[in-house]
Structures are given as C-alpha cells and as structure tokens.
Amino acid sequence: MKYVSTRDKGVSVSAARAISQGISQERGLFVPEGFPQVSMREIGDMADMTYVQRAAFVLGKFLTEFTEEELLALAEKAYGGGKFDDEAVAPLSKIGEREYILELWHGPTCAFKDMALQLLPLLMAASVEKEGLARETVILVATSGDTGKAALEGFQDVPGTRIAVFYPENGVSDVQKRQMMTQEGENVAVCGIKGNFDDAQTAVKNIFTDPGMAARLAGKGMAFSSANSINWGRLAPQIVYYFSAYASLLAEGEIAEDEGVNVAVPTGNFGNILAAYYAKRMGLPIERLICASNRNHVLSDFFETGVYDKNREFFETISPSMDILISSNLERLLYHLHGEDDGEVRRMMGELESAGRYRVSEAAQKALREEFAGGYADDGETKATIRRYFEEYGYLPDTHTAVALSVAKAYREKTGDSTKTIVASTANPHKFADSVLDALGAKNPENALERAKALEALTGVACPPQLLAALEKPCRFGDVVGKEEIGGYVEKLLGV
Ligand SMILES: *Cc1c(COP(=O)(O)O)cnc(C)c1O
C-alpha cells in the first residue's frame, strides 16, 4: 500500500516513509491510495481476539511492509504488559438501551491520545530502520493539552528520538500542565507559548517545512517528524478501536451481524472522527458520523453550510482539547470527498491560508451531509450532561465526552434516528476535575490534589495513580515563549 500527498498525488511513498517523514514537503498530508476492505466475516473473527491481535490485524491492512509478527510484537509492546489499566484496553460501557461509551483513556496519561501515541514511537523507530535512515528523529508537538503528555510518555527515552512539546500557556487544565511540566526522560523538552493551540500548530508546521532549518538539521544528522495527527502513524492505530468496539458488541450479542451503528466523537483536530470515517470506508457498518464540537464550532457550521471559516472569535472552554479553529485532518477528508482531486485541495488550503476560509464543491457538500452530522454543545449544556449522566446512570463522563453525549442526544431528538450509537470517550474525568466538580454543583477546592480527593469522595470514581503522582512531583520545565519565538527556541534546543 502506497501513500500519496493530498496536495500532490504525484508524491507517492511507502508507509514507513509516510510515518518517518510525517508531512509531505509541499505541506500536504499523506493518505492511503485506497481503502483496504475488511469483511463481516473478518470482523466476526476479531470477536475472539485480544486488543493486541485486533490491532495487528487492522494495521496489517495499511502497513503492508510490516510482517504480521512485527505488528504483533509492536502492538504487544504498546498495549500489552499492563500499560493499560483495563484488560480490554478500550472497554465499552452500556448506557440505557442503545448507547455505548467507548472508553479510550485507560492508558498511561488517561486520555485517548495514548491509543495512538503508545504505538507511534515504536512505528516511527521501525520505519526509520526500514528506510535505512541513520539519523536522530526530532519530534515537535503542538498540543491542546493531551497530545503533549501522551507524546512525551510515548517517546520518553526511545533511542534515536528527541521530543519538544509546545502548549498554550492558558489553554490547558491544571492537571494537564502538571503532567507535562513533571515529565521525566533525557530526550524531552516542554515549553508553554503565549498564544492558542492554532498558533502553536501553525508555528510547528512552519518549522517542519522550512527548507533552511531542514538543511541545518540534516547537517547534524537529525530530521524532524511529527507526532500530531497529521502523521499517518497516529491515525492508523485509531482506526483499530472502532473495529474493536464493533467486534466486542457483536461478541456480546448487543448488535447483529451487519447491523449499522452511529458513531459520535468529540472533535478538535478531526483525527479521531476521521479514523471512524476510514473504518467505515473499509467496510465497518457505520451509518452516521456525528461530529461534536464545543463553542468553537467551526466544524458544525462547515457541515451546515459547506463553508469552512476560521475568521471568528476563539473561546477557551471547559473542553480545552477541542478548542481548535483549524482542524488539520479535515484536509484528508476533503481529498477523499473531492474524488482525490489534489488541485482542489491545494486551492482550498491556499484559501484557508490566505483568507481563512474556503468553500467545498456542491458534490462534496452533498457527500458530507450523507456521511456526517454536526452539532455543538456550549459549556452549560456540557455541564448539564455530566450531571445528568451521573445522576441518571451513575456514569461520570469528562467534559469532552459530555460534549459528544450532548450532541448525540440532540441529534437523536432532531432526526428521530434511534440507531445504536458508539460514543467515543476521550478522557478520564479526573483530568478535568475542576469543571466536573462544578458540573456536579460541588465545592471546588483551590488545590488540585484536594480537588482529586473531593471528586473521588463525591462520585466514588478513583483518581488514577499516575495523575495523583503528577500533582505531587516537582516541575522540571517552566519555559514560556511568544509564538514568534518558537523557531528560535527549537534552534537553541537542538544547537542548529
Ligand atoms: C485530542 C482530544 C480530542 C479531540 O480529538 P481530535 O482527534 O483532535 O478531533 C477530544 N477530547 C480529548 C480529551 C482529547 O484529548
């Protein structure tokens, strides 16, 4: 299987190259040249497999230069050995009759980013080796909170790699910030920026594609790559859990063979929901993809109007990992929906860069509407949803998951569509204890450690030990720079 660039499909590379390089030189994203098919029989066979085996099976469809043994070994290293605190890795919780919450946060950093970032560093190292590249890989990450920590944890002390993470100084939760500032490892750096996530992401993309910088790095035996979801190696592992969820529901008799399900995803950079779209194109019986946004609802407006317009006020919300106005992975969807027309993608992305907006073709808008439903929930609705799920079902969702639950409910009420729904749950509620306590109308202590205790006492949901540890450990990284200083910071860090 080859991968082509969304902005120039003449650029065609192997999976190993797509992963080791991260982004194409002309700033396009790598996409598979086709959608490998998985039959209902194969999905049925997955029912008897462990998560590790399911991952190796699905990844094998895309990473064709890797042998089954290699993929099994990598998946075992990523998901086995007690790294996840639930044997199922991504377990489902049934709510009522027709809703299933897919918990993607049982990994080391308690957010769904672990599902991909426990595996990506291993795939990256293996890809660099397959490509015969004797070099040090430098990972630059722009994070809205969860990716940074998950990437640090995944790359910590992985030989041949270094990692620097940039987060918006005022755009992440206390727990998220402490998790990053206390990161251990010899090859890691963490820096706050005065700006929002989009500023960090744009700066990192500019550094990646700066030819002068690349040349200076090469002179020192280094090369950049990306651990953001613009890297195909981030997306592919995310496809796995949609198959896994369906196989589990089949095994438990919750759904019948070929029964269609809806999938609702709390969305920021459009990576997670795009993975569900890929699963659908591969044959998983997904009916509707419900794309849930918070008050920064550039995506739901886009589904409504066919116009993507980032020229709007940016809001900080209680679901900070979704506070994004430029959803990078939408570029991949646009490529597929426009009949793989790389010229059209170049046009739209050019307009996004120059004018901050673009319109999709009528045909693409129609296709969009058939596959996706968009919606958003503001902070008030999100809190009400947390409270309702806790009171009615004894289930405590985090702020991001609650956005998806809220939007899925609104969608059901508006359309009357009662298809069973898998809701992606993207973080442990203790990561956002502050807002969750507020939602429950409880007292909210100043101190983060006391907040964790308060939430435990109130709900009976234990705070994971690694989050408690982050609140107690000393901070190692306190740098904060302006958004125009990120390039200089990287140069100094690497000595180039
Ligand atoms: C990253 C993140 C999201 C958004 O996922 P995308 O793949 O960027 O759309 C949602 N919730 C949480 C908790 C996250 O960390």
Side-chain angles (χ1 to χ4, degrees):
M1 163 95 50
K2 289 284 193 185
Y3 293 78
V4 295
S5 166
T6 49
R7 298 194 197 182
D8 178 0
K9 62 183 176 188
V11 177
S12 169
V13 301
S14 66
R17 172 51 68 101
I19 292 169
S20 57
Q21 195 175 321
I23 186 170
S24 189
Q25 196 50 50
E26 75 306 318
R27 297 166 79 94
L29 305 185
F30 290 117
V31 290
E33 61 181 357
F35 299 101
Q37 294 302 299
V38 177
S39 67
M40 189 44 64
R41 173 124 178 255
E42 289 174 306
I43 296 170
D45 290 344
M46 258 186 258
D48 297 324
M49 296 183 192
T50 62
Y51 192 86
V52 166
Q53 291 167 326
R54 290 172 182 179
F57 175 76
V58 174
L59 290 168
K61 300 273 179 186
F62 283 108
L63 309 180
T64 44
E65 308 113 271
F66 290 76
T67 65
E68 196 187 333
E69 291 70 40
E70 280 176 304
L71 289 173
L72 271 171
L74 294 176
E76 174 60 32
K77 234 173 144 180
Y79 304 114
K83 277 197 162 174
F84 283 70
D85 68 12
D86 190 293
E87 217 179 324
V89 178
L92 288 149
S93 272
K94 186 176 184 182
I95 302 286
E97 282 308 301
R98 319 190 70 76
E99 192 163 67
Y100 303 90
I101 298 186
L102 175 61
E103 295 180 351
L104 302 171
W105 39 261
H106 287 274
T109 77
C110 308
F112 97 95
K113 304 296 195 289
D114 289 327
M115 298 303 300
L117 281 165
Q118 281 298 305
L119 187 60
L120 176 70
L122 308 175
L123 283 176
M124 181 93 69
S127 296
V128 166
E129 199 182 310
K130 275 192 200 291
E131 289 283 292
L133 306 167
R135 66 153 205 223
E136 188 170 37
T137 302
V138 180
I139 306 294
L140 295 185
V141 179
T143 183
S144 56
D146 289 331
T147 298
K149 177 61 184 180
L152 288 164
E153 199 65 30
F155 280 98
Q156 178 193 337
D157 295 330
V158 171
T161 68
R162 285 212 222 178
I163 174 167
V165 169
F166 299 93
Y167 67 91
E169 191 200 358
N170 295 319
V172 302
S173 82
D174 278 357
V175 176
Q176 287 177 315
K177 199 184 272 190
R178 296 222 31 125
Q179 278 186 299
M180 290 188 276
M181 290 168 82
T182 57
Q183 178 65 40
E184 292 172 13
E186 292 308 312
N187 61 341
V188 303
V190 175
C191 182
I193 68 147
K194 296 177 201 137
N196 62 33
F197 170 72
D198 292 314
D199 297 326
Q201 177 162 258
T202 303
V204 163
K205 268 198 195 171
N206 286 338
I207 299 171
F208 271 140
T209 45
D210 172 355
M213 184 82 119
R216 273 175 286 143
L217 241 64
K220 293 214 150 196
M222 293 187 267
F224 283 132
S225 192
S226 162
N228 279 101
S229 54
I230 53 179
N231 193 318
W232 178 253
R234 262 289 290 281
L235 271 182
Q238 296 183 189
I239 300 170
V240 173
Y241 47 75
Y242 292 107
F243 279 98
S244 174
Y246 193 95
S248 295
L249 292 177
L250 210 52
E252 287 153 23
E254 294 287 340
I255 53 173
E257 260 186 36
D258 287 317
E259 182 172 343
V261 294
N262 289 339
V263 171
V265 183
T267 297
N269 220 359
F270 210 73
N272 200 356
I273 194 162
L274 185 70
Y277 172 80
Y278 278 112
K280 177 172 182 178
R281 297 290 303 263
M282 292 166 74
L284 193 68
I286 295 175
E287 306 268 332
R288 262 309 152 95
L289 294 152
I290 301 170
C291 177
S293 304
N294 64 21
R295 193 174 174 203
N296 296 298
H297 46 79
V298 61
L299 282 169
S300 57
D301 292 353
F302 170 64
F303 291 127
E304 187 90 20
T305 62
V307 176
Y308 192 95
D309 190 349
K310 75 164 178 99
N311 303 305
R312 60 179 71 208
E313 197 179 338
F314 175 87
F315 299 105
E316 280 170 9
T317 72
I318 60 170
S319 43
S321 298
M322 299 159 68
D323 290 344
I324 289 175
L325 293 181
I326 305 174
S327 296
S328 297
N329 269 299
L330 198 55
E331 177 167 346
R332 288 188 162 106
L333 181 68
L334 294 173
Y335 179 80
H336 297 305
L337 290 182
H338 283 87
E340 311 191 342
D341 185 340
D342 51 357
E344 265 297 279
V345 175
R346 267 201 313 277
R347 171 188 70 77
M348 290 183 282
M349 293 301 114
E351 287 174 16
L352 182 64
E353 267 164 46
S354 60
R357 74 198 294 274
Y358 60 85
R359 177 187 287 281
V360 298
S361 72
E362 212 131 294
Q365 195 185 346
K366 188 162 165 281
L368 257 180
R369 287 230 174 119
E370 279 163 16
E371 307 270 7
F372 291 87
Y376 66 93
D378 63 20
D379 283 354
E381 289 163 319
T382 304
K383 284 184 185 176
T385 301
I386 292 172
R387 187 171 186 143
R388 191 166 66 79
Y389 270 73
F390 186 66
E391 287 175 355
E392 277 180 34
Y393 307 110
Y395 188 89
L396 189 68
D398 92 295
T399 47
H400 303 76
T401 307
V403 169
L405 292 168
S406 175
V407 169
K409 176 165 179 271
Y411 168 81
R412 277 194 301 273
E413 285 167 358
K414 186 171 136 203
T415 60
D417 180 354
S418 62
T419 305
K420 289 173 189 159
T421 302
I422 295 171
V423 180
S425 173
T426 49
N428 184 299
H430 274 282
K431 275 199 105 160
F432 304 95
D434 190 351
S435 308
V436 173
L437 279 167
D438 270 353
L440 299 176
K443 268 227 307 276
N444 203 338
E446 270 292 311
N447 174 293
L449 202 55
E450 277 162 36
R451 274 205 295 267
K453 300 282 178 215
L455 191 57
E456 278 187 349
L458 184 68
T459 63
V461 176
C463 185
Q466 63 271 43
L467 291 186
L468 289 175
L471 294 175
E472 287 169 330
K473 271 196 230 170
C475 286
R476 291 182 66 203
F477 302 100
D479 287 344
V480 178
V481 302
K483 59 186 173 189
E484 55 303 309
E485 296 166 331
I486 298 179
Y489 178 92
V490 171
E491 287 171 0
K492 203 164 134 220
L493 183 74
L494 301 176
V496 297

